[in-house]
Amino acid sequence: MRAPYAANPEKSKGRKFPEASPTYRSEFQRDRDRIIHSTGFRRLEYKTQVFVNHEGDLYRTRLTHSLEVAQIARSIARTLNLDEDLTEAISLAHDIGHTPFGHAGQDALNACMKDYGGFEHNIQSLRIIDVLEKNYADFNGLNLCFETREGVLKHCSLKNAANLGDVGERFINKKQSSLEAQLTNIADQIAYNNHDIDDGLRSGLLNIEQMREVQLFSTQYDKVMWKHPDLKGNRRIHETIRRMIGEQVVDLVETSRENIAKVNPQSIEDVRNHSEQLISFSDEMRTHNQELKKFLRENLYFHHKVYRMTRKAHQVIESLFEVFMNDLRLLPPGHLKIAREALLAEGMAGQARVIADYVAGMTDRYATREYSRLFGIEGNVF
Ligand code: MG
């Protein structure tokens, strides 16, 4: 049963290009299906989460991360009687604008674009679903519902918000997003904090002794060791992490339920107008999460092996951007045409945006190959 404060596909704020309602699906189901059939979604398979795609077959990629977010978010949505289809659609699309090589790629591209409006993956996700996907006869983009687009745009600066139309307004007017969007945002954090521990331990960049400094981990780890003293290796880690996810999900559900009961919203507009987000962890869990995040930042994201990869990612992205900016004829013919048109219409900023779109759309391995083709002097790679 749908709660009165949940998003309702029959009362959607609609699509940019009006379309007839789908026959056997809700509007939000259709959005979810369009995302799965998009080119941007398929590319997530070959994009870095923390580890570069080719470093090992067992690590998370942007695709498996997005599926884990959808799994966590959907189960919470069902418990809170929110719209599961919208939650799933937002989850699957939330990282669609990521560059190759994860955050390192984004930072590098943002630096390249500093004189041309910058680059931000959230806004790029919106740009992909609104403009860059070109598969439909009647419109560019996927023509998704307002509620899905609102959820994909997790945050943005006030300066950018002013140029984003309807989905930018809430940042200017200081309003909240739907509960489905709030929920997906936190499910994203639950997913990456926990799977990064798993990948970190699997890769040997983190070890159990270090992890036991983190309270969320040590509490569940001790319980597992008490109950299953002979459990070894991956099973011990998986048992610990699944319990950590469970503990965080239960805390989120219970705290959010209390928040909702206190505020008693009667519609999605009441949710949007409330001064604070209603989907949240308890204060205690928030503190534990901050401790875990800090630990991962210091010990995994800045581990010297990851950092060396980061340096290489900067070099690949910066070099590709610069070489295309200086000579458009190095672009593939389709992109060359669009870049020339953008240069005529909007000057250098227009040209730079087309190149940023092209580079951001690359998978890790495509970017690496393109770099070898353009700069390699060994192996005759053309
Ligand atoms: Mg994510």
Side-chain angles (χ1 to χ4, degrees):
M1 196 193 63
R2 183 190 313 279
Y5 41 79
N8 185 338
E10 285 165 24
K11 293 180 185 162
S12 165
K13 289 193 183 181
R15 304 171 189 275
K16 211 180 256 172
F17 303 95
E19 293 184 61
S21 296
T23 317
Y24 297 115
R25 296 176 291 175
S26 78
E27 297 286 355
F28 299 150
Q29 273 180 288
R30 174 150 76 180
D31 280 9
R32 187 264 325 273
D33 298 349
R34 282 188 181 173
I35 290 159
I36 289 181
H37 288 279
S38 71
T39 314
F41 182 71
R42 283 195 298 282
R43 285 182 179 155
L44 295 175
E45 183 175 2
Y46 297 106
K47 292 201 180 200
T48 296
Q49 182 67 25
V50 173
F51 295 87
V52 173
N53 177 255
H54 61 256
E55 286 182 335
D57 291 344
L58 294 176
Y59 301 127
R60 270 67 174 187
T61 65
R62 288 267 163 217
L63 180 65
T64 59
H65 161 70
S66 301
L67 295 174
E68 289 183 35
V69 174
Q71 179 274 315
I72 292 169
R74 275 186 59 191
S75 71
I76 300 169
R78 192 179 295 189
T79 310
L80 296 176
N81 296 323
L82 302 177
D83 191 282
E84 234 177 289
D85 299 316
L86 175 62
T87 305
E88 188 179 11
I90 298 169
S91 301
L92 295 177
H94 85 283
D95 271 350
I96 211 166
H98 263 287
T99 60
F101 312 121
H103 281 279
Q106 171 189 281
D107 293 347
L109 200 51
N110 189 29
C112 295
M113 288 292 289
K114 76 174 188 307
D115 296 331
Y116 312 110
F119 180 91
E120 210 267 294
H121 72 84
N122 260 310
I123 294 180
Q124 191 69 6
S125 296
L126 192 67
R127 189 165 159 76
I128 288 176
I129 59 176
D130 278 358
V131 183
L132 295 179
E133 283 282 331
K134 294 195 170 83
N135 294 323
Y136 293 84
D138 295 328
F139 44 78
N140 284 341
L142 304 177
N143 197 32
L144 303 181
C145 294
F146 171 86
E147 291 76 7
T148 309
R149 299 171 55 241
E150 171 196 40
V152 167
L153 189 67
K154 271 187 292 194
H155 40 74
C156 76
S157 67
L158 279 180
K159 195 168 146 246
N160 284 324
N163 301 319
L164 292 172
D166 52 3
V167 282
E169 283 170 14
R170 84 165 191 272
F171 300 98
I172 298 164
N173 301 331
K174 304 220 176 332
K175 294 197 171 180
Q176 310 300 331
S177 56
S178 68
L179 295 180
E180 287 80 358
Q182 295 179 26
L183 163 58
T184 307
N185 200 2
I186 300 189
D188 183 23
Q189 297 168 39
I190 297 177
Y192 66 67
N193 280 332
N194 290 286
H195 66 48
D196 286 353
I197 298 174
D198 188 36
D199 283 352
L201 290 169
R202 194 185 297 275
S203 64
L205 300 190
L206 299 177
N207 62 55
I208 301 268
E209 284 318 303
Q210 266 179 311
M211 282 308 311
R212 294 184 76 178
E213 292 166 22
V214 180
Q215 198 176 337
L216 266 181
F217 183 89
S218 64
T219 309
Q220 299 303 336
Y221 184 82
D222 292 347
K223 280 188 198 163
V224 171
M225 290 311 288
W226 181 78
K227 198 161 178 219
H228 308 282
D230 298 326
L231 206 59
K232 298 255 172 345
N234 284 340
R235 276 195 201 216
R236 194 198 293 172
I237 295 167
H238 191 270
E239 270 300 325
T240 307
I241 291 176
R242 83 177 181 96
R243 285 157 195 259
M244 287 174 70
I245 295 176
E247 188 190 0
Q248 290 168 71
V249 167
V250 166
D251 180 274
L252 187 70
V253 166
E254 289 176 359
T255 313
S256 304
R257 242 186 212 148
E258 279 171 30
N259 294 342
I260 292 168
K262 235 182 272 165
V263 174
N264 194 21
Q266 294 303 307
S267 67
I268 192 169
E269 286 315 311
D270 286 351
V271 169
R272 290 195 167 115
N273 289 330
H274 190 63
S275 56
E276 285 168 13
Q277 298 216 350
L278 295 173
I279 304 289
S280 70
F281 283 129
S282 64
D283 290 343
E284 193 191 353
M285 184 56 81
R286 200 173 299 131
T287 309
H288 287 323
N289 256 291
Q290 279 159 357
E291 184 201 14
L292 172 58
K293 270 186 188 178
K294 185 164 172 274
F295 174 88
L296 287 171
R297 199 167 45 241
E298 286 167 4
N299 296 287
L300 183 63
Y301 310 143
F302 284 107
H303 189 288
H304 83 275
K305 283 194 177 161
V306 176
Y307 187 74
R308 283 165 65 111
M309 185 280 281
T310 303
R311 181 59 226 129
K312 252 197 271 184
H314 271 267
Q315 178 165 338
V316 172
I317 299 289
E318 282 159 15
S319 308
L320 289 176
F321 184 84
E322 203 183 299
V323 82
F324 293 132
M325 275 302 270
N326 290 334
D327 189 350
L328 290 181
R329 286 168 305 170
L330 293 171
L331 287 166
H335 287 83
L336 172 63
K337 186 169 170 284
I338 307 169
R340 281 185 170 151
E341 286 165 4
L343 177 63
L344 279 177
E346 302 159 58
M348 287 304 273
Q351 172 185 314
R353 185 61 58 192
V354 173
I355 292 170
D357 288 340
Y358 178 51
V359 174
M362 292 177 183
T363 59
D364 295 357
R365 60 183 187 173
Y366 185 89
T368 312
R369 274 187 213 152
E370 190 74 336
Y371 181 83
S372 304
R373 281 192 287 259
L374 287 163
F375 301 102
I377 48 168
E378 282 174 30
N380 293 324
V381 190
F382 294 102

